[in-house]
Amino acid sequence: MALKVSDNGESVVFCMDYGDISVKGVSSGGLVVRYEFERYQEGIIDTLEETYHPDKNGQVRIKGVGEMARRNAPVWAFSSQNGLEAYRYASVNLKMSFSSGEDNASLKRRFLYADVATEGMQNQGISECFLTRYSTRRILPGQPVTLAFHFQGQQTLSVGVAYIDRPGHAAYVSWPVVLDYGQLEDGVEQYFIHKADCITVMDRLNEETRGEFTEDDMLWYTFTLQTGDGAEDTVRFEVDHRKYPVTSILLYQSCFGLPESIALHGAETVTAEMEGTFGTMGQAYRKLFTRLDYSHESNTGYLGPDDRDAFEDLLRSPKVYLGSVAEENEVVITETEAEEVLPHAGPVNFRVKWKRVNASYHRFKNKAVAATDAGVFDKSFDKSFE
């Protein structure tokens, strides 16, 4: 009986949406499967060979192929995006060769990174929606934000902005984003990644209107993606002009392996504990090493459903940065806690404990520079009075 290999059938699929592979007609000697993972312009990056034993009906069911693909699929951090926009190769190709006795079969699939199931995005159309958790989100003027989508050459992208053009009067303007269809290559999956932060949009607003507006003048803006068959997806950004006593912006990789950020608005507590190594040297008890270990406990502020899902992405992200992507800004989240009383459908605040990965952020401050900061009161003085 010849080998019969079947799966859920999509040639391009998000990693965690990929189901099981069923192989029928396997001989008693077992099934040997060779996996070859290949990226465009990189060649074969990983190979694996496994042997599976059939059940009494000569059938093998293979699980976890999507997870193997996820470990080899490309991801991006903020540092990999230079300029306003970028086109990125997005997939890993998997070639599977099956052999049992004298029978052989093969299967090829292309995988896009996702560390969660997308719950139907595959059926909606990979190219019809932005790769983000959000449909509406509130952002700070200086918060780094990007938007991305699967680029297939039949889409249009536009930006619309509501802003204050003079005291007491609001205006609206929109413009198209030019997409470079020359970037498309047959059989190669592409992502289009666009900066969507407030300052970037404000700069383009000033170009469109020949004005000199600032982020304080912006109310909200939208990015709208349309496909040739009429499908439309819109993400709305509401500019948060409130002044928070403490704000920490964490950068991380989203569930799609793309750059994302979250702003923690709540109160923050910093604790310092001395860590040291002590021992006996020459019949004397000596200090061998000491340092202050700082631990931060931040509050997220109240999170709605989309923010909570994004917060879980933050916890799974392989790397997290504070403020900007740099070695000295890398942090690790050590603990998180929230309390929710059910039945309850409202937003929830999470307490997040985090530490810096290394101590290189401690920079020596030149005395001359420190002198310019001197004032009547030191930094501990409460200057919030009027």
Side-chain angles (χ1 to χ4, degrees):
M1 180 178 178
L3 288 177
K4 184 178 179 181
V5 180
S6 60
D7 61 0
N8 53 6
E10 294 93 346
S11 60
V12 183
V13 62
F14 286 106
C15 294
M16 304 311 289
D17 290 336
Y18 192 72
D20 299 343
I21 299 175
S22 174
V23 185
K24 297 180 180 180
V26 180
S27 68
S28 58
L31 174 72
V32 177
V33 183
R34 178 178 174 82
Y35 303 91
E36 289 186 355
F37 296 92
E38 181 181 8
R39 290 185 195 162
Y40 184 69
Q41 294 187 336
E42 296 183 46
I44 295 175
I45 58 173
D46 195 14
T47 60
L48 178 67
E49 190 170 289
E50 295 278 2
T51 300
Y52 303 89
H53 298 284
D55 60 17
K56 61 181 181 181
N57 298 317
Q59 182 174 349
V60 168
R61 183 170 293 275
I62 303 173
K63 299 178 179 290
V65 175
E67 174 58 25
M68 287 193 291
R70 186 193 67 82
R71 294 196 294 266
N72 289 280
V75 295
W76 300 272
F78 278 94
S79 57
S80 67
Q81 183 190 346
N82 299 314
L84 174 65
E85 54 198 29
Y87 298 84
R88 302 294 184 201
Y89 301 124
S91 62
V92 59
N93 297 327
L94 173 57
K95 179 181 178 182
M96 294 169 277
S97 302
F98 305 84
S99 62
S100 180
E102 298 182 355
D103 296 324
N104 298 279
S106 64
L107 192 65
K108 292 182 179 180
R109 293 290 181 258
R110 295 202 298 273
F111 289 88
L112 301 172
Y113 183 95
D115 63 11
V116 296
T118 65
E119 297 184 356
M121 184 180 288
Q122 183 75 32
N123 297 326
Q124 295 171 5
I126 290 177
S127 305
E128 296 180 358
C129 44
F130 290 109
L131 302 176
T132 179
R133 293 281 195 182
Y134 298 97
S135 56
T136 300
R137 67 180 300 186
R138 186 178 292 272
I139 64 166
L140 299 175
Q143 182 176 344
V145 182
T146 60
L147 271 182
F149 59 88
H150 180 256
F151 182 53
Q152 41 81 301
Q154 297 180 356
Q155 300 134 310
T156 60
L157 179 64
S158 60
V159 182
V161 183
Y163 62 101
I164 302 296
D165 64 342
R166 60 180 185 270
H169 186 268
Y172 177 84
V173 67
S174 64
W175 60 84
V177 176
V178 178
L179 301 176
D180 185 359
Y181 298 109
Q183 296 283 341
L184 293 169
E185 299 184 47
D186 291 339
V188 181
E189 304 305 316
Q190 294 264 12
Y191 279 163
F192 178 77
I193 307 174
H194 194 288
K195 286 186 177 179
D197 59 276
C198 181
I199 295 176
T200 297
V201 175
M202 178 198 66
D203 289 341
R204 181 62 186 273
L205 170 66
N206 286 330
E207 290 181 14
E208 293 291 326
T209 62
R210 299 183 181 179
E212 296 182 354
F213 301 106
T214 68
E215 57 267 28
D216 292 334
D217 300 314
M218 298 183 64
L219 300 175
W220 52 264
Y221 56 93
T222 60
F223 277 73
T224 300
L225 178 68
Q226 291 181 311
T227 60
D229 57 4
E232 181 176 296
D233 187 25
T234 298
V235 178
R236 176 184 170 109
F237 297 89
E238 298 177 351
V239 183
D240 189 351
H241 294 294
R242 290 175 291 182
K243 305 300 181 184
Y244 296 97
V246 179
T247 299
S248 299
I249 296 178
L250 300 181
L251 314 181
Y252 64 97
Q253 290 176 356
S254 73
C255 60
F256 297 107
L258 295 165
E260 188 56 275
S261 68
I262 188 171
L264 310 181
H265 301 305
E268 180 175 331
T269 303
V270 182
T271 57
E273 295 181 1
M274 190 182 79
E275 291 186 350
T277 303
F278 303 88
T280 301
M281 297 177 60
Q283 297 184 344
Y285 192 67
R286 301 290 186 184
K287 175 180 69 176
L288 305 180
F289 166 77
T290 57
R291 73 181 181 95
L292 278 177
D293 182 35
Y294 291 92
S295 178
H296 299 252
E297 181 177 282
S298 301
N299 285 267
T300 61
Y302 289 109
L303 303 181
D306 291 342
D307 294 303
R308 291 180 65 172
D309 290 338
F311 180 73
E312 292 187 21
D313 292 342
L314 166 71
L315 300 181
R316 288 194 304 271
S317 178
K319 287 196 174 185
V320 178
Y321 296 93
L322 176 67
S324 62
V325 175
E327 180 182 354
E328 63 269 18
N329 293 336
E330 186 177 353
V331 301
V332 60
I333 295 175
T334 60
E335 187 178 339
T336 184
E337 181 182 359
E339 184 174 297
E340 187 175 13
V341 179
L342 299 176
H344 176 68
V348 176
N349 173 70
F350 285 83
R351 291 181 292 278
V352 185
K353 289 185 178 180
W354 54 273
K355 294 182 179 182
R356 291 184 182 263
V357 170
N358 56 63
S360 62
Y361 70 95
H362 286 301
R363 301 296 189 187
F364 178 80
K365 193 169 186 179
N366 186 284
K367 292 181 180 179
V369 175
T372 63
D373 295 336
V376 177
F377 305 112
D378 66 15
K379 293 182 179 180
S380 67
F381 188 80
D382 182 2
K383 295 179 284 186
S384 62
F385 64 89
E386 296 181 353

